[in-house]
Amino acid sequence: NAGVTQTPKFRVLKTGQSMTLLCAQDMNHEYMYWYRQDPGMGLRLIHYSVGEGTTAKGEVPDGYNVSRLKKQNFLLGLESAAPSQTSVYFCASSKTTGYHTGELFFGEGSRLTVL
Amino acid sequence: GENVEQHPSTLSVQEGDSAVIKCTYSDSASNYFPWYKQELGKGPQLIIDIRSNVGEKKDQRIAVTLNKTAKHFSLHITETQPEDSAVYFCAASKSNTGKLIFGQGTTLQVKP
């Protein structure tokens, strides 16, 4: 089972360049998320989606855009990369229990370095 | 919005001892509190969770307690083993919003 797949796994960018991280899940989950992980900061929510065609801002949305055109895919875009966006990015998906957010299934992470 | 604070940031115990990690949350409307374990080079995985209508939940060597009045919850690991060494995250969310906010993480080291 593939679960949650992130591409690419590693990327080095120069300041000002743009790029897109792709997340794909094969579990038919309604919810999808993008988090960034930095030392001492834990996992911070960038954007999330509660269904196809919907997106919402998380804790640290500035400098990022997202799209959820298909239920199984959630794209994270950096229009003009900055060194402060050097981080490990995690995508996750979950189904809803109807009462609360269900278990999140995470991808393996994408390490992005902005020079 | 919700804010989750987690302590300690690092914890070192001897094999067989107990480990306790504590979290506080700010939004009294939060009603779901999961704990995730992250091993080196991998994404986090759910290990236990608790809903706001329950005060304590156990699963073998791990347990979670919730104090809604004080807005804090804790993870307890008994009889620790070297394979428990990892980064642990607490989190909180409200109803079915889909917005899950994590704490800063605790690096647990279990010494053989």
Side-chain angles (χ1 to χ4, degrees), chain A residues 48-67:
Chain A
Y48 64 106
S49 168
V50 298
E52 181 178 322
T54 72
T55 62
K57 294 180 179 180
E59 302 170 273
V60 289
D62 294 344
Y64 304 94
N65 56 75
V66 288
S67 64

Side-chain angles (χ1 to χ4, degrees), chain B residues 2-13:
Chain B
E2 176 64 277
N3 183 52
V4 179
E5 296 288 334
Q6 182 173 346
H7 300 281
S9 57
T10 60
L11 180 59
S12 182
V13 300

Side-chain angles (χ1 to χ4, degrees), chain A residues 96-113:
Chain A
T96 172
T97 67
Y99 177 80
H100 59 73
T101 304
E103 176 181 358
L104 266 64
F105 291 84
F106 283 85
E108 298 271 294
S110 297
R111 182 174 294 275
L112 175 65
T113 302

